[in-house]
Amino acid sequence: DNDYFIVIIDGSDLLVNEAIVTIIPKQDGIQDMGSISLSSSENKVASAFFKKGSLGIKIDSEFDLALTLTIEISTIQNSLNEYDTWIIELPRKSSVDTIFSLRDKKLVLYSGDNFEEFIALPQDIPYSYYIELEEVTGQIVNDERTIAATDKINISFSFYGDAPGDSISFSQIT
C-alpha cells in the first residue's frame, strides 16, 4: 500500500517564466500614446492635404493570442475634418505590415490664428493606440495558451510617400 511518495518543495521569491494560462482581457486593454516629430525646417506647416503619403504600421506579436490594434491620429483628418481610426486584426504569434494611403487626407498641426504661438510649437504628430487581446476563458477543450515572460508585441509606425523611402508631398499648404 506504500507505492507512492511525496516530494515537498519550498521556495521564496519565485519568478514564473512561463505558464499555461486562462486569459480574460482587461476592460481597458493595452493603451499607449506618443508623438512622431517631423524633421525641423524653417518651413512650418499649419495644415496641408497629402498629395502623396502613406502610413505604414508594422506589428510583430509573440503572444499566443490574437489581437486587434486600433490607432487614432488626431492630426490626420478625412474630408469631414474628422480623424480616422485605423484597425488591424492580427492572428496569434504572427506579424503584419499594413499600409494605409493618406492621399487626400489633411494634416492639421495647428488650427489657431496666433502666429507667434504657431512658430513656437513643435511639428509633432500625436497618436494613441489601443490593443485588445483575444479572450481565452478555458471553456474550449484543449485551448490552453503558453505565455512567457519574454513575449512581446512590437509596433512601429512610419510615414513616407507612395513607397518606403519616398518623400511625402502636400497640396494646399497653409
Side-chain angles (χ1 to χ4, degrees):
D1 285 326
N2 291 336
D3 55 356
Y4 70 92
F5 60 93
I6 298 173
V7 177
I8 300 175
I9 299 174
D10 189 11
S12 60
D13 296 325
L14 299 175
L15 175 65
V16 176
N17 288 319
E18 187 173 285
I20 296 175
V21 295
T22 296
I23 297 175
I24 301 172
K26 300 185 327 181
Q27 284 184 331
D28 56 354
I30 300 169
Q31 299 179 24
D32 198 9
M33 59 184 1
S35 65
I36 300 167
S37 296
L38 299 178
S39 56
S40 59
S41 168
E42 23 180 277
N43 300 319
K44 292 185 111 180
V45 174
S47 67
F49 283 91
F50 286 95
K51 185 175 179 181
K52 291 182 181 181
S54 300
L55 167 62
I57 302 174
K58 183 174 181 174
I59 307 170
D60 292 314
S61 175
E62 297 174 359
F63 275 56
D64 195 11
L65 297 167
L67 62 92
T68 302
L69 170 79
T70 303
I71 182 169
E72 296 176 347
I73 303 176
S74 60
T75 55
I76 298 178
Q77 300 176 356
N78 61 26
S79 60
L80 301 173
N81 294 323
E82 300 168 335
Y83 61 86
D84 284 334
T85 299
W86 293 285
I87 298 173
I88 300 172
E89 303 281 337
L90 188 67
R92 59 196 217 192
K93 289 190 175 186
S94 63
S95 298
V96 67
D97 196 352
T98 306
I99 300 169
F100 296 101
S101 174
L102 299 176
R103 188 176 307 233
D104 298 325
K105 296 199 182 295
K106 186 177 184 181
L107 177 66
V108 180
L109 297 177
Y110 182 77
S111 58
D113 57 6
N114 182 329
F115 185 73
E116 289 179 14
E117 179 182 51
F118 166 67
I119 292 299
L121 287 176
Q123 298 271 274
D124 289 340
I125 300 174
Y127 64 85
S128 64
Y129 65 83
Y130 172 79
I131 298 173
E132 181 179 345
L133 296 173
E134 169 188 12
E135 184 173 348
V136 179
T137 61
Q139 295 177 357
I140 298 173
V141 177
N142 296 324
D143 189 25
E144 296 172 334
R145 308 294 174 87
T146 301
I147 304 295
T150 57
D151 287 352
K152 60 185 174 285
I153 300 171
N154 290 323
I155 301 173
S156 62
F157 305 98
S158 57
F159 290 99
Y160 48 85
D162 287 338
D166 290 353
S167 295
I168 294 173
S169 63
F170 296 102
S171 64
Q172 300 179 20
I173 299 171
T174 57

